[in-house]
């Protein structure tokens, strides 16, 4: 009976224990010298402010949850690539990202990005993120600022190589921050929510108490 009850309880818990679900924190950094006018639109508005921020040294972090199941994989040399490529199809932005007047909301859908041989993924990395931190990655999301579109883009790509570019841009309104500095840290997602662990702990204590009762005739 005890084992049946345990099985029933576990079957009702969220199936979030998955070694292939990874939390990835991506940080883009810049200096004041990285503020300027985007060369694509060439609009000049008289200042280098981006999202209402005057030039300064800073950084911003995006937190992603990535399911690595079904990843697209190219090893070095395959299709002419200069490093390993891993493409992920299930990517979730976990928290709102704010920079000056710009906001990229949690749950925003990333942009599909082309990889080798025209394949597409929401996130490309040069490392299997279940095994370590990527040193190159490509990822893009759009948000909002002052009634306009805010662009955040890590890692420009060719058909064979992921670059080191980091960009935030007042999309088609002029100013941007463009640097060559980003980093990422990967870690397994929390396997069970705290409430589930609490329930399991309580059940373990309950079963322990029942065993003690069974061993002591005074409780019969």
């Amino acid at each position: 009976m005890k084992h049946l009850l345990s099985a029933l309880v576990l079957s009702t818990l969220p199936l979030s224990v998955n070694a292939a679900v990874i939390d990835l924190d991506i940080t883009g950094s810049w200096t004041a010298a990285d503020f300027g006018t985007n060369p694509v639109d060439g609009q000049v508005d008289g200042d280098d402010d981006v999202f209402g921020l005057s030039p300064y040294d800073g950084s911003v972090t995006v937190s992603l949850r990535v399911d690595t199941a079904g990843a697209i994989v190219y090893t070095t040399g395959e299709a002419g690539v200069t490093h390993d490529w891993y493409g992920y199809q299930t990517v979730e932005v976990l928290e709102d990202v704010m920079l000056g007047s710009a906001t990229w909301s949690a749950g925003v859908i990333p942009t599909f990005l082309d990889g080798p041989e025209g394949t597409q993924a929401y996130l490309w990395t040069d490392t299997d993120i279940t095994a370590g931190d990527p040193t190159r990655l490509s990822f893009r999301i759009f948000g909002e600022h002052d009634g306009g579109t805010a662009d955040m883009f890590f890692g420009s790509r060719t058909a064979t190589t992921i670059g080191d570019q980091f960009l935030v841009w007042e999309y088609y309104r002029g100013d941007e921050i463009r640097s060559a500095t980003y980093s990422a840290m990967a870690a397994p997602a929390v396997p069970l929510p705290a409430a589930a662990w609490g329930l399991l702990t309580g059940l373990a204590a309950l079963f322990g108490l029942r065993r003690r009762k069974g061993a002591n005739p005074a409780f019969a």
Side-chain angles (χ1 to χ4, degrees), residues 76-143:
T76 302
E78 184 180 359
V81 301
T82 60
H83 55 75
D84 292 348
W85 286 63
Y86 294 83
Y88 303 103
Q89 306 291 337
T90 305
V91 180
E92 176 187 1
V93 179
L94 291 180
E95 301 174 354
D96 289 352
V97 180
M98 290 174 285
L99 182 63
S101 63
T103 300
W104 293 265
S105 299
V108 65
I109 299 175
T111 300
F112 249 170
L113 300 173
D114 290 338
E117 300 183 314
T119 52
Q120 291 188 318
Y122 290 120
L123 170 70
W124 291 99
T125 68
D126 68 343
T127 303
D128 175 1
I129 59 174
T130 67
D133 300 334
T135 58
R136 297 171 182 261
L137 59 87
S138 191
F139 172 74
R140 190 174 196 173
I141 50 176
F142 289 98

